Amino acid sequence: MQTTFVDVDVRPILRAGGEPFEKIMEAVNALGPGQGLRLFATFKPTPLLHVLDSKGFTHEAKELDGGEWEVLFSPSGAPSKNENPASAAAGPDSPWPEPMTHLDNRDLDPPEPLVRILATTESMQPGEVLSALLCREPLFLFPELAKRGHSWRGGFEPDGKTYKVLVRIGEHSGSAA
């Protein structure tokens, strides 16, 4: 079956400092059989590649003029690996140690909070916990944490605007050569 592509251009949203994840996922969820997604972005959406891989899509990324990217997501025919990575990694209810590091990323533009959190986890020891405050739920962060073997817990604070995520460093972190 030949794949037809639905175009989604999130460059205007990104240039305005917005978060296009919901728009992308709405488009993905509306795809029919044999349909793929052609995404246009201002940067290579590496975290999204992993998210859509877990939903059964392969990708082909191509850099355009000016550093922008076109990514074709095609249905692979493979079943989804994980429909909700946030709940899958929530872990048991066992107590976690107090966070060793606290980050306030609420004033940073995407993808800076994700990059800052991942960079910080690289210098932490297995079992240590990182606390980060964000202005939205970090949906792109969850598959990156899972890939690195970390666990996390998160939710919105009582103010309804601040998302707090706790990241516990996994046993295999930092072992890549």
Side-chain angles (χ1 to χ4, degrees):
M1 177 186 303
Q2 184 167 350
T3 302
T4 59
F5 291 94
V6 173
D7 291 344
V8 174
D9 188 348
V10 297
R11 293 175 293 189
I13 296 171
L14 292 169
R15 287 184 191 120
E19 174 59 60
F21 187 75
E22 284 185 38
K23 180 177 181 176
I24 295 167
M25 296 315 292
E26 285 175 12
V28 168
N29 292 332
L31 294 174
Q35 286 187 313
L37 182 76
R38 181 187 339 262
L39 179 72
F40 295 95
T42 57
F43 61 92
K44 185 176 182 180
T46 302
L48 183 65
L49 305 179
H50 300 295
V51 170
L52 291 186
D53 176 61
S54 70
K55 290 187 165 289
F57 289 87
T58 61
H59 69 271
E60 182 179 327
K62 178 173 70 173
E63 187 170 4
L64 304 174
D65 291 337
E68 297 183 342
W69 287 80
E70 174 187 349
V71 184
L72 298 175
F73 292 99
S74 303
S76 67
S80 298
K81 295 176 187 170
N82 189 348
E83 289 295 326
N84 188 352
S87 62
D93 290 332
S94 62
W96 284 17
E98 287 297 313
M100 299 287 294
T101 304
H102 300 274
L103 300 174
D104 187 345
N105 294 334
R106 291 177 287 183
D107 293 332
L108 300 177
D109 293 326
E112 291 179 67
L114 178 143
V115 171
R116 187 171 180 216
I117 290 169
L118 293 177
T120 302
T121 64
E122 294 297 319
S123 64
M124 296 176 70
Q125 297 299 312
E128 291 182 341
V129 175
L130 161 85
S131 169
L133 300 177
L134 305 150
C135 63
R136 62 181 59 90
E137 186 174 5
L139 296 174
F140 290 132
L141 177 65
F142 299 140
E144 293 298 317
L145 293 173
K147 190 169 75 176
R148 289 165 172 78
H150 305 319
S151 301
W152 67 91
R153 295 175 175 170
F156 281 97
E157 295 290 287
D159 68 4
K161 298 177 182 175
T162 302
Y163 192 92
K164 182 176 180 180
V165 63
L166 299 175
V167 178
R168 184 162 60 182
I169 306 304
E171 293 296 323
H172 303 293
S173 67
S175 61

